[in-house]
Amino acid sequence: MNSLQALQEYIKTKDNFRNFINGSEVPTVCKSEPCMLGVDEAGRGPVLGPMVYGVAYCPINTKKILENLGCADSKALTEEKRDDILTQIFTDDAALNNVGWASEIISPNYISNSMYRRAKHSLNEVSMNSAIDLIKKVHSSGVNITEVYVDTVGPPEKYQAKLSEIFPEFKITVAKKADSIYPIVSAASIVAKVTRDHALKVWKFHEDLEMDHTQFGSGYPGDPLTKKFIREQIDKVFGYPLLVRFSWSTADHMLQEKAATCTFEEVDEENPKKKASAGTKSISSFFSPKLESNGKIRKRHKFFEERCLIVGNNAFD
Amino acid sequence: MSIQVENNLKDTENKEIFEQRAHFIPCKVDEDGPANVRRFFEPYICEDENGELSATFRGHLLNGTRMQLPDGYRAIVVTEAKRPLAENADRRFQVAGGFKQVMYWNWDKKPSKNDNLVKALDWVDIAEAVHGD
């Protein structure tokens, strides 16, 4: 990958309704020298588009290179500046010889599907698994990781305990705003943020919709263009194109209001109410007509009951 | 009440009209009418190396399989120009098309012999044994 153009082209070759991983060659020095690795994410909040996890790594003694590249609090950088730093990471000799990176593009469809599983996966689980997979992948490609720095939005303690359990050999630091404290996390953050921006720029709808990011906006629920998209691009039956995270309340509420009501099978969560009532007759049952033992109402055989078959004299109802 | 089904497509040249693609989805949709299946659903149907199908509907992961109809059976789609108001009135339907296989979808669960539709089709064999010659 030697330019943002190449990054866009790579993203375009991938199905945008699935996840995929992108990454640099491993700089040789990273295989021998002890390295630090930073983890950060971009696009957690938006209702449109993928969430991207990024990692960056370099030998501990080459921190200076990151500072020279300008890797500091990525949220304080402009989009141009971030693009510029990633281009340098792709092309600058000092960067190429010392700094490696990888990213996972987590599709909006995967996010919706995960949150709408029978056994729900929260966005936190999706996030944590992505971070863990990326660290494992970098580790197994031969990088001598010794220190890991992770940015988190949630409480750091639990996350740190979990990572330390999985990677006991690394010194792990999970912190809020790690992005602005550790340059290696800033670098990871830039990888993630720029990848997400470009993924949106090259987004191609599979739904025959000729629209691009200048029309659907940044994806943040507060963006007027995104709001307009969420309000207007509704299909009565299918809801939205798969650019949208269906599991976001912004999208879900709009569909409840404007699209056809859809009811999926209910998941049997341990529902104590049901069990408690099993032995008790409902009060209304005392008022319903009693079945005689030689009764006229013939109960269907279990065979039919189990197969949801009924006698078809009211067909087409 | 009687039900009449008219088939005005009996002599149609267009054989494809009886080989349409049908999807059985695990969701009750409160809407009758055309659906943009080709635009919103079919682009996302994937088959993995084991022949297992996946798709997505309203953000929900679906697992699917191609289900053949029992031998000697075919499925038809009928429409009714106007539904009579009275409960017991005669009903008239027109054949609008048909299909020979169904893509059967479950929500986040691989299709199996225990699915209701599969089990319901057992009746076809039983009926043959009971009523056949």
Side-chain angles (χ1 to χ4, degrees):
Chain A
M1 203 127 305
N2 52 23
S3 66
L4 297 176
Q5 208 76 44
L7 173 65
Q8 290 194 351
E9 291 306 319
Y10 179 76
I11 295 170
K12 277 201 262 182
T13 64
K14 299 291 177 178
D15 285 334
N16 61 18
F17 57 98
R18 299 198 224 227
N19 302 352
F20 56 94
I21 284 181
N22 188 12
S24 67
E25 304 268 327
V26 176
T28 321
V29 65
C30 293
K31 295 187 179 176
S32 49
E33 293 297 310
C35 287
M36 55 184 177
L37 175 141
V39 184
D40 198 6
E41 125 283 310
R44 188 186 170 83
V47 62
L48 303 184
M51 174 166 80
V52 178
Y53 255 79
V55 298
Y57 51 91
C58 71
I60 292 167
N61 59 20
T62 57
K63 217 166 92 181
K64 193 94 189 91
I65 294 175
L66 297 172
E67 283 157 18
N68 292 343
L69 287 169
C71 294
D73 188 357
S74 73
K75 302 223 166 48
L77 300 171
T78 61
E79 186 179 342
E80 288 74 27
K81 190 68 196 150
R82 286 193 300 260
D83 277 359
D84 181 51
I85 294 172
L86 190 62
T87 307
Q88 284 190 58
I89 292 177
F90 287 168
T91 53
D92 178 81
D93 276 341
L96 284 174
N97 292 329
N98 294 284
V99 184
W101 56 274
S103 61
E104 181 174 27
I105 292 86
I106 303 165
S107 71
N109 182 44
Y110 180 83
I111 294 171
S112 313
N113 284 178
S114 299
M115 293 174 75
Y116 284 153
R117 291 196 72 146
R118 283 171 184 276
K120 274 189 199 165
H121 281 227
S122 69
L123 192 67
N124 281 340
E125 283 173 83
V126 172
S127 303
M128 216 183 283
N129 289 340
S130 176
I132 292 164
D133 286 350
L134 281 173
I135 299 171
K136 281 185 179 161
K137 187 179 143 29
V138 168
H139 185 52
S140 68
S141 68
V143 177
N144 181 18
I145 304 171
T146 57
E147 299 175 4
V148 174
Y149 299 88
V150 186
D151 191 284
T152 181
V153 281
E157 296 78 15
K158 259 173 81 181
Y159 199 174
Q160 173 142 352
K162 168 131 196 199
L163 288 175
S164 302
E165 197 186 312
I166 300 172
F167 304 108
E169 67 275 39
F170 307 152
K171 176 178 162 276
I172 293 178
T173 310
V174 178
K176 290 191 177 181
K177 304 213 167 75
D179 173 19
S180 56
I181 309 170
Y182 307 102
I184 196 65
V185 180
S186 308
S189 167
I190 289 165
V191 168
K193 189 91 178 78
V194 176
T195 305
R196 151 124 182 136
D197 286 348
H198 288 271
L200 277 188
K201 280 185 182 156
V202 300
W203 188 272
K204 193 162 175 352
F205 289 92
H206 294 276
E207 293 90 0
D208 281 341
L209 195 60
E210 293 299 332
M211 252 192 161
D212 67 14
H213 69 286
T214 59
Q215 290 154 291
F216 57 70
S218 63
Y220 282 90
D223 183 328
L225 289 173
T226 300
K227 273 190 185 160
K228 186 166 184 283
F229 184 89
I230 288 295
R231 208 169 45 236
E232 293 178 358
Q233 294 301 321
I234 296 174
D235 180 89
K236 202 111 210 282
V237 175
F238 295 94
Y240 287 113
L242 297 202
L243 172 68
V244 177
R245 302 180 188 172
F246 284 75
S247 45
W248 254 235
S249 59
T250 320
D252 187 41
H253 290 163
M254 192 61 77
L255 289 186
Q256 281 180 25
E257 194 186 311
K258 293 195 167 181
T261 306
C262 281
T263 321
F264 280 81
E265 180 188 338
E266 252 175 74
V267 180
D268 273 337
E269 283 175 63
E270 271 125 71
N271 187 350
K273 220 169 121 198
K274 243 185 188 170
K275 278 176 193 158
S277 65
T280 333
K281 272 189 182 176
S282 95
I283 193 156
S284 59
S285 69
F286 294 101
F287 301 103
S288 55
K290 277 197 182 136
L291 283 178
E292 303 295 324
S293 55
N294 60 345
K296 285 166 193 159
I297 304 174
R298 204 172 71 179
K299 203 171 174 293
R300 269 183 298 146
H301 189 275
K302 220 173 155 213
F303 175 89
F304 298 102
E305 228 172 58
E306 282 174 359
R307 285 164 180 76
C308 305
L309 290 169
I310 53 164
V311 180
N313 54 7
N314 44 6
F316 303 114
D317 269 0
Chain B
M1 156 177 123
S2 78
I3 290 175
Q4 282 181 38
V5 178
E6 285 172 8
N7 185 3
N8 299 322
L9 298 170
K10 221 180 298 177
D11 305 314
T12 180
E13 297 284 294
N14 182 5
K15 291 278 172 269
E16 275 171 25
I17 206 158
F18 288 107
E19 292 178 21
Q20 297 186 37
R21 299 185 307 284
H23 297 280
F24 183 100
I25 58 164
C27 173
K28 184 170 174 289
V29 184
D30 281 343
E31 174 81 1
D32 279 324
N36 252 319
V37 180
R38 197 187 303 257
R39 254 183 81 195
F40 284 91
F41 188 72
E42 293 185 333
Y44 300 109
I45 299 175
C46 295
E47 184 162 7
D48 71 9
E49 53 288 359
N50 304 318
E52 282 169 4
L53 301 171
S54 65
T56 183
F57 180 72
R58 293 270 184 128
H60 293 65
L61 170 70
L62 304 183
N63 301 103
T65 186
R66 289 188 190 85
M67 188 186 277
Q68 303 295 334
L69 298 177
D71 276 349
Y73 282 76
R74 55 200 283 197
I76 56 161
V77 178
V78 294
T79 56
E80 183 175 36
K82 195 168 175 236
R83 183 179 180 157
L85 291 171
E87 280 280 310
N88 307 324
D90 290 352
R91 312 271 304 263
R92 287 166 68 103
F93 295 90
Q94 274 83 36
V95 173
F99 49 90
K100 289 183 163 169
Q101 66 165 22
V102 187
M103 277 204 186
Y104 175 87
W105 300 99
N106 271 341
W107 168 38
D108 192 16
K109 182 172 77 179
K110 284 189 184 142
S112 76
K113 283 185 296 208
N114 292 322
D115 293 326
N116 287 335
L117 184 62
V118 180
K119 287 198 296 187
L121 289 175
D122 286 348
W123 172 245
V124 169
D125 289 333
I126 308 273
E128 177 66 25
V130 174
H131 301 294
D133 358 272

